[in-house]
Amino acid sequence: MVQVRLLPTPVQAATLEATLCACNEAAGWASEVVFEKDVKRNFALREHTYTEIKARWNLGAQAVQHVIKKVCDAYATLKANLKAGNLGKPGSKRYRRAMEKPIAFRAQGAQPYDDRMLSWQIAERRVSIWTTGGRVKDVAFTASPEQLATLALYRKGESDLVCRDGMWFVLATCEVPEAALNTDPVDFLGVDLGIVNIATTSDGEIMAGRELNRIRTRERTLRTKLQKKNTPSAKRRLKKRRRKEARRAKDINHKIAKHLVAEAERTGRGIALEDLTGIRERVRLRKPQRATHSSWSFAQLGQFIAYKARRAGGPVVYVDPAYTSRTCAECGHIDRANRVSQAWFVCRSCGFVDHADRNGSRNIRARAWELWRRGAQSTAPAPPPKPKVGAGRKRSITASDARCASPGP
Ligand SMILES: [Zn+2]
């Protein structure tokens, strides 16, 4: 999935907005038909709705079909969620609420586009896109050189048009082939994840450190203020800030993951990470730090690293994180007192001095190498299952999302 941001002119943006509105209004209406007539299958629903949607909302043939499919998919996802018990037991309040009215579609909810409705001029960074006001040509978009290359080589199938906080995005499906696994890494790049520095490598490189934490502290203070205000407008602003913060954090995680995987690949190494599942329990911190720490999505970062490594064919090994911060990377001496401060490590036995996180990441590297040599290697596993059902690529609408029908990024 490649996400590019569109840069429509104000006129183009208004047309896009009108288009999304029309598609989602039509979807809402079709959803009522599903609800009243209990026709959930694509073909049957098409019989009941196709002609009217086309006429009433002035949608093209392809667009109507995508609207109908979107509605069917939303009901299929709801059914799967109900069955999986994600909305509680039958008869519970949430379960009943999900059943008693048609699925609603937010005016700005995502709309799928196929190649006939959306064409790409990748080199020019332009798309030509179908709208209710006719074809809009030359909508500019921004993308990194890597994104452009991925689009050019691997884009395949549908894209989603999405509007978020007044910004326009197209999410394009890309099928990037996985590289063959490097079964003979020369070594491992150890990565220590922490509060003060989000990631430190065994090469001594620090990623997302002090500067990032300053911004995050400032954001948190601001959010606390808004929380106290508790007015509708403060709530709105709070929500917007939260989303923006989450986007920024995701972006940083992507960058860290990309950099780590590229560095490991370039040097023929695998990547060594701590087993992330216990990270919150493991770290004991003073209160203010705890808030910072648990609010960083290390699980997301881990997923990004695993995913990008798998694509590049690099092995990823997870090691037991116990005592990595107390163990001397030079002599192996374990002592709580070795960690003299947040930043520094001084070995009580051999006198070795190092940056604490770097010492930790070197231990992680060593443990991974040990595991690998013993043959207990675990190759880059599939990312851990997400808590929500259907959160993957396939028309990803979870039950709660289905209420507003906006697939996640
Ligand atoms: Zn030592």
Side-chain angles (χ1 to χ4, degrees), residues 328 330-333 347-352:
C328 173
E330 283 294 318
C331 75
H333 177 66
C347 180
R348 298 278 145 163
S349 174
C350 72
F352 171 70

Side-chain angles (χ1 to χ4, degrees), residues 26-326:
W29 177 77
S31 173
E32 281 168 25
V33 174
V34 172
F35 195 75
E36 277 160 26
K37 303 203 165 131
D38 197 34
V39 277
K40 292 198 180 75
R41 286 176 189 278
N42 196 316
F43 187 77
L45 184 60
R46 218 184 308 172
E47 280 198 328
H48 282 95
T49 56
Y50 184 88
T51 320
E52 185 160 349
I53 290 179
K54 209 167 172 219
R56 245 170 95 180
W57 284 279
N58 186 30
L59 304 187
Q62 263 89 45
V64 182
Q65 286 182 25
H66 283 295
V67 164
I68 292 169
K69 183 167 180 292
K70 175 161 107 168
V71 175
C72 289
D73 286 349
Y75 276 93
T77 309
L78 176 63
K79 191 177 163 193
N81 272 312
L82 289 170
K83 203 175 159 195
N86 294 341
L87 297 173
K89 292 193 179 107
S92 73
K93 204 172 159 192
R94 281 179 72 203
Y95 194 98
R96 270 186 290 128
R97 266 185 22 211
M99 294 284 285
E100 71 195 4
K101 55 181 198 268
I103 292 176
F105 290 84
R106 208 160 42 85
Q108 308 251 301
Q111 178 64 22
Y113 273 73
D114 61 36
D115 285 350
R116 281 169 293 186
M117 303 159 70
L118 176 75
S119 55
W120 298 78
Q121 290 88 50
I122 292 163
E124 291 81 32
R125 299 188 198 201
R126 294 272 189 280
V127 291
S128 154
I129 187 168
W130 167 86
T131 71
T132 44
R135 193 103 186 166
V136 177
K137 287 179 182 164
D138 287 334
V139 182
F141 68 82
T142 56
S144 67
E146 289 85 2
Q147 285 181 317
L148 289 175
T150 309
L151 282 173
L153 290 168
Y154 306 119
R155 196 193 62 75
K156 201 171 188 183
E158 284 179 14
S159 305
D160 281 343
L161 176 68
V162 185
C163 182
R164 265 189 240 121
D165 297 329
M167 292 178 284
W168 291 91
F169 300 94
V170 173
L171 312 182
T173 313
C174 292
E175 287 177 11
V176 181
E178 291 176 12
L181 181 74
N182 174 8
T183 52
D184 190 23
V186 296
D187 198 347
F188 279 85
L189 178 64
V191 184
D192 181 84
L193 303 172
I195 336 106
V196 177
N197 305 309
I198 299 292
T200 307
T201 72
S202 49
D203 293 350
E205 191 175 9
I206 294 170
M207 272 165 284
R210 211 171 287 278
E211 178 61 23
L212 173 69
N213 275 313
R214 249 202 303 275
I215 299 168
R216 292 174 65 210
T217 309
R218 200 182 60 210
E219 272 296 315
R220 207 171 51 246
T221 319
L222 219 129
R223 284 207 303 270
T224 314
K225 266 190 203 155
L226 286 171
Q227 248 157 1
K228 277 188 189 138
K229 263 190 175 172
N230 206 24
T231 62
S233 89
K235 272 184 190 160
R236 253 197 322 274
R237 278 170 59 203
L238 189 63
K239 206 171 156 191
K240 202 167 170 179
R241 284 211 95 87
R242 278 220 181 91
R243 280 212 297 264
K244 196 174 163 200
E245 180 74 4
R247 270 202 302 272
R248 219 173 49 81
K250 193 176 169 188
D251 190 49
I252 290 168
N253 274 343
H254 262 304
K255 283 190 179 130
I256 294 173
K258 186 178 152 192
H259 181 80
L260 287 173
V261 170
E263 187 57 22
E265 197 189 1
R266 190 182 66 80
T267 50
R269 287 180 289 181
I271 290 179
L273 290 170
E274 292 168 290
D275 190 351
L276 295 163
T277 40
I279 192 157
R280 260 177 228 186
E281 294 76 48
R282 185 174 57 85
V283 187
R284 259 182 240 107
L285 298 163
R286 282 174 287 120
K287 250 188 182 163
Q289 286 191 342
R290 208 179 293 154
T292 331
H293 188 254
S294 59
S295 64
W296 190 260
S297 184
F298 287 105
Q300 185 188 56
L301 177 57
Q303 278 173 13
F304 288 172
I305 293 172
Y307 162 75
K308 287 177 203 288
R310 203 166 57 239
R311 242 169 52 173
V316 177
V317 167
Y318 297 91
V319 304
D320 180 0
Y323 307 118
T324 45
S325 63
R326 298 180 195 174

